[in-house]
Amino acid sequence: MLEMMRRGRQKQALVQSCLLWFLVATVCNSSDPSLDKPFQAKSLDRLTHVPCVTLYHRNGRIGCGSWTRDTSTGVLARFSSSSSSSSLEEKVVWVMTQDEFTSSNVKELVSELTQGILVLNITSSTTSSPAATTPNGAGTPAQDLDYDDNAEWNPNGNGIESLDLYGTPTMYVPDPTTSSYLLQVATEQQQQLLVADKSDPKSYIVAELKSYMGGSSSSSSAALTSEKCLSWRNTDGSWRPKCLPLGGQSVWATSSSTSSANAQVVYIAASMDGSSMFHDLAPSANAAASNILALLMAAKLVGQVDQSAFNKKIVFALFQGDSYGYMGSRKFFQDVSSNFKCYSQLYSQNSNKTFYYEPFQDACLYPLRPSLAFQEELSSLDVYGLLAVDQVGVLATPNTMYVHGHNAPAASSGNSNAFIANVLMQLTTSHITSVVEGDADNVPPTPLTSALKLSSSIGGGAVLAGYSGAGFSSADYRSHLDVSSKISLEAIASAATILARAAIAVSYDDGSENYATAAEYALSVVPELNGENSTYLSLSKCLLEDGNCDFLRQYVNVERANDIKRTGYDLGLQQSGLGTPPNYYVGVYGSGRQPIAVVGSNWYGAYDNSNKKYGQSKGDSFILSPNALETSIHGLLNDFLGRPLSSTSLKSCTTSDNCKDVKYCSSSEKEYAVCTGGLVCVCARAHYHVAVDEAFEVPVNNSTGYFVISDKDEGVSAMYTEPYWDEISARVYREGNSQAGVWTTSFAVVVAVASYGASLALKSSLAKEKLY
């Protein structure tokens, strides 16, 4: 009997639990966000968002943010072409679709009543690029650096990225479902706001945004610039910068061992970074990833060709930060063109190589350069030309690529070099059946711009691109919409093949500049890259879709292990990966990405060696911790270019310590073997080079994170910096929501009544069974 009564009570409890679950599930269907259903407020209390960030530059700032640390709160209102804050009396947060987020639309909305903008993951019409029509040219902070600042390479640009929108916190809402709900709410409330009846106060849904990124507390205060935020001092006089320069590490590599017999060099170059108005969401599939993928696979093809009898050295280079005033390529060509002066040089032949970042390479403590390989290998060579690759993942015309800039003369010499362009136009593939002339006289915003303006010996160059002389094919340039789904892998594979063949043809030429003969030779020794090649597919998936993939991770892990063995330090900056999807925003030139000299127990951003001598303490070292992208590119270029053709059996490894006794990298006394993500010992080919604005200088004998304006500053560079962020947040809720208590009480009453009814029914059932 007791057992039967126990089962009866269990049955009663089960019925009540099932009923409660049914009521909760019915009332709280949480598949869609809503503030009109009970218990759904939390779905929007921490709104998933990506902020529009502010950047300082030489003359002011661009981007978004709040004037103060206080939150900005306003009623959600739908933007339309006729929207105007002047017709409203309420403070509002405007809601826009991503195609509506343009400079002309935003200018119409900015007022004292505008508390912010939410940009939704919804497209209602044709999108446009947030960049200027003249990227890095007229109307931008980098306008003094472009080859021709009036060339409109970006015809779809609306220029919003160059506006100072500070005082208007702006967030992107990536979730499509949440975006649809917010659009519906804002549309309904916009109508209510226009016909508001003050005698019938309404409970509006509002957004609360917090996006303080430093600077003045009002628009009337003096504008903060990069120089001011870097030199900021607290009230006690202590130096406490409020920002860091943008920057990182470029990567360059030679395609063969060093040889003084090579009197000229030809560069194969591209930018490795991209951007968007929302820096944490910069997939840059066409603007960055396609460049990187094409160049790396071209390097792999070139690395399989015997170049011992060639007349020119081939150098591959991927420049960091070129989206922001060509900072990577300008720094590189300024240093290489015999302009770099070291005030505290370390000579590897006179010291214990244990203390050097690269074996057999001199280093400089001030200005800090962990390796001076660029001086030894490149500075004495004339630059025959530079071939840049740009945006080859989206084609303006099917099966066609274009060649630009080959008639543009170098500023220093007045020379132009059409030979490279003529070679390119001979090199078709099974997919790219035409390589034709684009804009011969103007130079797209690529590393060729920096080379032509800064290299003292360059003959000229050309740009291989997917866009025609009419400008960029994609309206998504420098946008969060530049995504992998729009990319042609066949086009990128063909671009890699064309690049590799062009590099071989130009290097093979004996000086006669017979482009037909040179191209014919290249076609005979460089096979076409198969789009189904396993390395290509793995690398494309990593760069376009999953930056945290195992393929790149293995290269990063081996490079990181090599650095720990070499320096004894691990800053772990590579662990975060590229993200999913990958993010190509350059980031800041912070500790680790900024080289560090450890002397004794102190860490320096530059050191004059006048006090304690570098190398006297066991822990003295150069530390460099590039990000995951820079690190993996360094490893991949070593792997693709450093496999000796004469050796069929390469030694296996897990770190470079396993490669110390390798003999097949001994063609030069300064050659040495390293381990890469391919887990074999290869000959070292790749080097890092600082990528930071030329105007910034690290003060001597100071720790990292401090910068001053160089005495040699010519006043032309953009000087981009990013402030230290404060708290960034966004939430959406119903203002003065009196319905919450009503819902809670009603729900409790319903549950109580239903439970009581279930209990009576169960009691009657048990009585019939004589269990009650």
Side-chain angles (χ1 to χ4, degrees):
M1 177 64 71
L2 290 175
E3 177 63 19
M4 295 177 72
M5 292 178 67
R6 184 181 66 81
R7 291 180 181 177
R9 287 193 296 270
Q10 288 179 340
K11 186 176 180 180
Q12 181 182 13
L14 179 61
V15 170
Q16 290 174 327
S17 297
C18 289
L19 181 60
L20 180 60
W21 177 88
F22 173 77
L23 288 169
V24 171
T26 301
V27 178
C28 306
N29 182 5
S30 59
S31 59
D32 297 320
S34 174
L35 293 174
D36 294 320
K37 297 178 183 178
F39 311 108
Q40 294 303 297
K42 286 200 171 183
S43 64
L44 298 170
D45 192 51
R46 291 182 177 271
L47 183 66
T48 301
H49 67 280
V50 184
C52 167
V53 179
T54 196
L55 294 178
Y56 302 122
H57 55 84
R58 183 181 290 272
N59 300 311
R61 65 181 159 202
I62 58 175
C64 318
S66 305
W67 285 119
T68 69
R69 290 181 171 84
D70 298 332
T71 57
S72 300
T73 304
V75 177
L76 290 181
R78 172 76 171 100
F79 164 81
S80 68
S81 57
S82 59
S83 297
S84 173
S85 300
S86 61
S87 61
L88 304 176
E89 297 183 7
E90 296 273 356
K91 292 183 177 180
V92 295
V93 169
W94 293 103
V95 172
M96 318 175 78
T97 59
Q98 51 200 0
D99 53 286
E100 295 168 343
F101 187 53
T102 65
S103 57
S104 57
N105 287 342
V106 170
K107 286 178 182 177
E108 292 294 321
L109 300 181
V110 174
S111 74
E112 290 185 0
L113 289 177
T114 294
Q115 299 300 293
I117 298 172
L118 290 180
V119 182
L120 307 179
N121 185 9
I122 296 174
T123 302
S124 57
S125 64
T126 304
T127 58
S128 60
S129 164
T133 56
T134 53
N136 278 341
T140 75
Q143 62 185 8
D144 294 327
L145 305 177
D146 209 19
Y147 187 85
D148 181 356
D149 61 8
N150 292 312
E152 295 190 350
W153 285 104
N154 186 32
N156 299 297
N158 67 68
I160 192 172
E161 72 170 17
S162 298
L163 295 183
D164 180 3
L165 301 176
Y166 210 68
T168 308
T170 302
M171 314 286 192
Y172 178 69
V173 181
D175 181 66
T177 304
T178 303
S179 293
S180 295
Y181 172 69
L182 294 178
L183 183 66
Q184 176 188 342
V185 167
T187 302
E188 293 172 354
Q189 293 192 160
Q190 172 71 1
Q191 298 303 316
Q192 295 169 2
L193 287 168
L194 292 174
V195 295
D197 181 359
K198 292 186 178 298
S199 64
D200 180 24
K202 299 183 182 300
S203 175
Y204 288 115
I205 291 177
V206 302
E208 182 182 279
L209 309 181
K210 191 172 185 180
S211 183
Y212 179 67
M213 296 184 184
S216 307
S217 60
S218 71
S219 58
S220 60
S221 303
L224 197 61
T225 64
S226 287
E227 182 175 7
K228 289 179 181 178
C229 78
L230 288 172
S231 61
W232 188 275
R233 291 185 180 273
N234 289 342
T235 54
D236 61 2
S238 59
W239 187 8
R240 289 292 182 270
K242 297 298 182 182
C243 59
L244 282 172
L246 299 189
Q249 296 293 320
S250 299
V251 187
W252 64 276
T254 55
S255 65
S256 61
S257 59
T258 57
S259 172
S260 58
N262 293 317
Q264 290 181 305
V265 60
V266 57
Y267 287 99
I268 312 299
S271 61
M272 72 162 78
D273 69 301
S275 186
S276 83
M277 286 296 290
F278 312 100
H279 294 167
D280 287 344
L281 194 62
S284 306
N286 194 37
S290 73
N291 302 341
I292 300 168
L293 182 56
L295 187 141
L296 288 176
M297 293 310 297
K300 185 172 176 61
L301 292 172
V302 168
Q304 298 167 359
V305 177
D306 182 4
Q307 303 161 51
S308 58
F310 286 3
N311 298 290
K312 304 175 188 71
K313 181 192 294 290
I314 302 172
V315 173
F316 290 89
L318 281 162
F319 295 113
Q320 182 65 279
D322 266 31
S323 294
Y324 291 91
Y326 306 111
M327 65 177 70
S329 58
R330 285 185 65 87
K331 194 70 171 178
F332 179 81
F333 285 113
Q334 283 179 332
D335 283 357
V336 168
S337 299
S338 302
N339 289 329
F340 180 76
K341 181 174 178 58
C342 179
Y343 297 98
S344 182
Q345 187 161 340
L346 300 175
Y347 297 94
S348 60
Q349 67 268 29
N350 298 332
S351 303
N352 186 338
K353 295 176 179 56
T354 303
F355 299 106
Y356 284 72
Y357 189 76
E358 290 185 357
F360 309 108
Q361 289 294 347
D362 295 352
C364 185
L365 289 169
Y366 173 47
L368 189 53
R369 301 288 189 276
S371 169
L372 294 179
F374 66 91
Q375 274 193 331
E376 180 163 344
E377 296 192 31
L378 303 176
S379 289
S380 63
L381 304 181
D382 288 336
V383 181
Y384 179 79
L386 183 147
L387 170 54
V389 58
D390 190 42
Q391 300 182 55
V392 290
V394 177
L395 303 181
T397 306
N399 309 112
T400 303
M401 285 192 180
Y402 295 86
V403 182
H404 306 286
H406 44 285
N407 286 344
S412 57
S413 64
N415 296 330
S416 63
N417 189 338
F419 174 64
I420 295 176
N422 287 330
V423 166
L424 283 168
M425 287 185 275
Q426 312 303 307
L427 301 175
T428 58
T429 69
S430 61
H431 179 69
I432 299 299
T433 55
S434 298
V435 181
V436 299
E437 184 174 82
D439 187 335
D441 299 318
N442 292 304
V443 181
T446 62
L448 180 58
T449 298
S450 299
L452 290 175
K453 297 198 76 168
L454 296 173
S455 180
S456 59
S457 63
I458 189 170
V463 178
L464 177 68
Y467 49 84
S468 69
F472 300 157
S473 313
S474 173
D476 303 325
Y477 177 69
R478 292 174 68 96
S479 162
H480 63 285
L481 299 175
D482 184 4
V483 295
S484 61
S485 61
K486 303 175 183 180
I487 297 299
S488 167
L489 288 180
E490 285 183 320
I492 298 175
S494 290
T497 301
I498 294 169
L499 281 177
R501 289 172 172 171
I504 293 297
V506 174
S507 183
Y508 168 80
D509 176 63
D510 60 3
S512 63
E513 295 193 342
N514 186 324
Y515 59 83
T517 300
E520 183 180 2
Y521 174 78
L523 286 165
S524 69
V525 297
V526 180
E528 182 171 342
L529 176 64
N530 187 337
E532 298 301 315
N533 177 279
S534 60
T535 300
Y536 177 64
L537 291 177
S538 295
L539 189 53
S540 63
K541 186 173 182 62
C542 295
L543 295 175
L544 291 167
E545 299 176 21
D546 180 11
N548 299 328
C549 64
D550 292 340
F551 182 82
L552 281 189
R553 178 62 60 188
Q554 180 156 296
Y555 280 88
V556 168
N557 287 342
V558 173
E559 291 286 306
R560 182 182 171 200
N562 289 342
D563 276 352
I564 295 172
K565 290 279 188 180
R566 179 167 52 232
T567 68
Y569 295 92
D570 178 23
L571 301 186
L573 298 186
Q574 306 97 330
Q575 294 184 57
S576 59
L578 261 177
T580 305
N583 180 28
Y584 289 94
Y585 174 59
V586 55
V588 295
Y589 193 61
S591 181
R593 294 183 81 195
Q594 176 189 355
I596 302 167
V598 181
V599 184
S601 59
N602 297 315
W603 291 27
Y604 297 99
Y607 187 63
D608 64 8
N609 223 18
S610 60
N611 189 8
K612 187 174 184 178
K613 297 294 183 183
Y614 178 86
Q616 291 181 347
S617 299
K618 185 178 179 180
D620 288 1
S621 180
F622 287 102
I623 302 176
L624 188 60
S625 188
N627 68 14
L629 176 63
E630 298 156 353
T631 301
S632 57
I633 289 173
H634 186 273
L636 286 161
L637 285 175
N638 271 332
D639 195 2
F640 291 171
L641 295 170
R643 297 190 178 219
L645 301 177
S646 58
S647 179
T648 57
S649 178
L650 302 181
K651 184 177 180 181
S652 299
C653 62
T654 55
T655 72
S656 293
D657 276 359
N658 305 134
C659 304
K660 291 180 177 179
D661 60 348
V662 164
K663 303 299 183 184
Y664 48 72
C665 292
S666 58
S667 61
S668 166
E669 64 176 9
K670 290 197 172 185
E671 276 214 302
Y672 61 97
V674 294
C675 188
T676 73
L679 301 182
V680 291
C681 297
V682 300
C683 307
R685 294 283 184 264
H687 310 273
Y688 293 110
H689 197 88
V690 295
V692 69
D693 192 285
E694 64 211 63
F696 298 135
E697 182 177 297
V698 180
V700 67
N701 300 337
N702 252 290
S703 60
T704 58
Y706 293 87
F707 299 87
V708 296
I709 308 305
S710 171
D711 292 337
K712 300 177 182 178
D713 175 37
E714 297 178 353
V716 296
S717 65
M719 286 175 49
Y720 284 109
T721 59
E722 182 177 319
Y724 293 111
W725 289 14
D726 211 25
E727 181 183 349
I728 309 294
S729 63
R731 63 184 290 246
V732 174
Y733 60 94
R734 185 175 290 280
E735 189 177 37
N737 189 359
S738 60
Q739 288 186 335
V742 175
W743 269 108
T744 303
T745 304
S746 299
F747 182 75
V749 170
V750 170
V751 171
V753 171
S755 297
Y756 180 70
S759 298
L760 291 178
L762 182 60
K763 177 180 178 181
S764 176
S765 174
L766 293 175
K768 289 180 181 180
E769 298 178 18
K770 298 182 179 181
L771 297 177
Y772 184 85

